[in-house]
Amino acid sequence: MTNDKEEKPRVGLFVTCLVDLFRPSVGFASIKLLEEAGCTVDIPDLQTCCGQPAYNSGDRRDTRALARKAIAAFEGFDYVVAPSGSCAGMLKLHYPELFADDPAWAERAKKFSAKVFELVSFLSDIRGVTSVPASFAGTVTYHDSCSGLRELGIREQPRTLLRSVDKLTLTELKDADLCCGFGGTFCVKYPDISNAIVERKTTEIVATGAGTLLAGDLGCLMNMAGKLKRQKSMVKSRHVAEVLAGMTDSPAIGEVG
């Protein structure tokens, strides 16, 4: 007889820097969702940054060093899951490019990247999750982060799961697929342009009448939450994993606990 525990896929959770430093509740929500989907979850102690900031700045040497650490820390798992479309996109799409001309790491990078997934797409597309046993009394709207949407094709997955949440009403955001202005290092290099973009985004968010803004990338959420707070808006911001996991007792992003 096969042990049921042995049949569960082993998932390494890539926590991401922003979740680790600013919003650990997203990590705990991710663990709960993955375990409810029948996975065993571990968080390797040796994980660090995915290397995206260095990569976007043209620093290939440091990016490769960080990529080697990530590959070594996670390659023993069946899957690598990140609650971030941008980090998952970096791990899945850009690691093979980094080592394309490196005989010692090219194959390892390809095998590693093949098992990398963003959290919600993993739940929907790999584990076949179509509903969650969560409740959230309120109206929400959803922002499609650029990397998740354009690099990984994540759009319907979060909406399908959100519609299964008891008492939740989902209202669509106009131009939900347009950038929020964060763009990683973009907001640092071009602050005036970034501010103009996020101001347009928050105008549309408020116009939905939703009480809560959701997204799958913490960087985007922190950017939009910060602008909403400066505008003295009452709209709250949360990572979609927190709502799907039914873990919304903590203050919203940008609020003081």
Side-chain angles (χ1 to χ4, degrees):
M1 181 179 292
T2 303
N3 188 312
D4 289 339
K5 187 175 180 180
E6 292 179 351
E7 294 180 347
K8 292 184 177 181
R10 295 181 63 247
V11 171
L13 181 64
F14 192 91
V15 177
T16 83
C17 298
L18 292 181
V19 169
D20 182 36
L21 296 173
F22 295 102
R23 196 71 176 175
S25 58
V26 175
F28 293 116
S30 300
I31 293 171
K32 181 182 179 184
L33 288 167
L34 289 167
E35 289 181 341
E36 288 178 346
C39 304
T40 59
V41 186
D42 194 8
I43 304 173
D45 293 335
L46 297 178
Q47 66 176 292
T48 56
C49 178
C50 68
Q52 186 176 181
Y55 182 80
N56 289 342
S57 299
D59 182 359
R60 295 297 185 266
R61 184 187 66 178
D62 286 334
T63 305
R64 289 190 186 94
L66 290 166
R68 292 187 190 100
K69 289 183 179 180
I71 293 170
F74 283 91
E75 60 188 347
F77 291 95
D78 298 319
Y79 298 99
V80 181
V81 176
S84 162
S86 60
C87 293
M90 179 69 197
L91 299 170
K92 191 173 189 68
L93 302 179
H94 300 295
Y95 274 21
E97 299 171 358
L98 283 170
F99 298 109
D101 298 325
D102 186 339
W105 283 88
E107 191 60 29
R108 290 177 71 177
K110 287 174 61 177
K111 289 181 178 179
F112 166 83
S113 297
K115 56 187 178 183
V116 171
F117 296 90
E118 181 271 343
L119 173 66
V120 179
S121 64
F122 176 77
L123 295 172
S124 297
D125 301 337
I126 304 302
R127 297 302 295 166
V129 177
T130 57
S131 63
V132 291
S135 178
F136 185 84
T139 301
V140 307
T141 194
Y142 189 86
H143 164 73
D144 296 293
S145 300
C146 294
S147 293
L149 177 65
R150 292 170 175 82
E151 290 193 322
L152 302 176
I154 301 166
R155 188 185 187 284
E156 291 305 320
Q157 300 95 322
R159 289 169 171 81
T160 297
L161 293 184
L162 284 171
R163 292 188 185 102
S164 76
V165 175
D166 186 41
K167 300 179 182 178
L168 180 147
T169 299
L170 175 63
T171 182
E172 283 296 337
L173 172 64
K174 181 183 176 183
D175 296 328
D177 59 341
L178 294 186
C179 180
C180 73
F182 177 63
T185 56
F186 177 87
C187 64
V188 177
K189 296 175 181 176
Y190 308 102
D192 292 340
I193 299 175
S194 174
N195 182 63
I197 294 173
V198 73
E199 190 168 87
R200 182 175 62 181
K201 175 65 69 171
T202 55
T203 297
E204 299 297 351
I205 292 168
V206 172
T208 67
T212 303
L213 166 68
L214 303 178
D217 264 282
L218 190 53
C220 301
L221 282 164
M222 291 172 66
N223 184 46
M224 293 182 288
K227 187 64 175 179
L228 287 165
K229 186 174 183 179
R230 292 191 295 275
Q231 293 173 331
K232 302 187 184 307
S233 170
M234 298 301 291
V235 178
K236 301 181 184 300
S237 302
R238 290 190 178 277
H239 193 285
V240 66
E242 295 175 306
V243 171
L244 294 178
M247 298 173 65
T248 56
D249 291 336
S250 60
I253 295 168
E255 290 185 338
V256 178

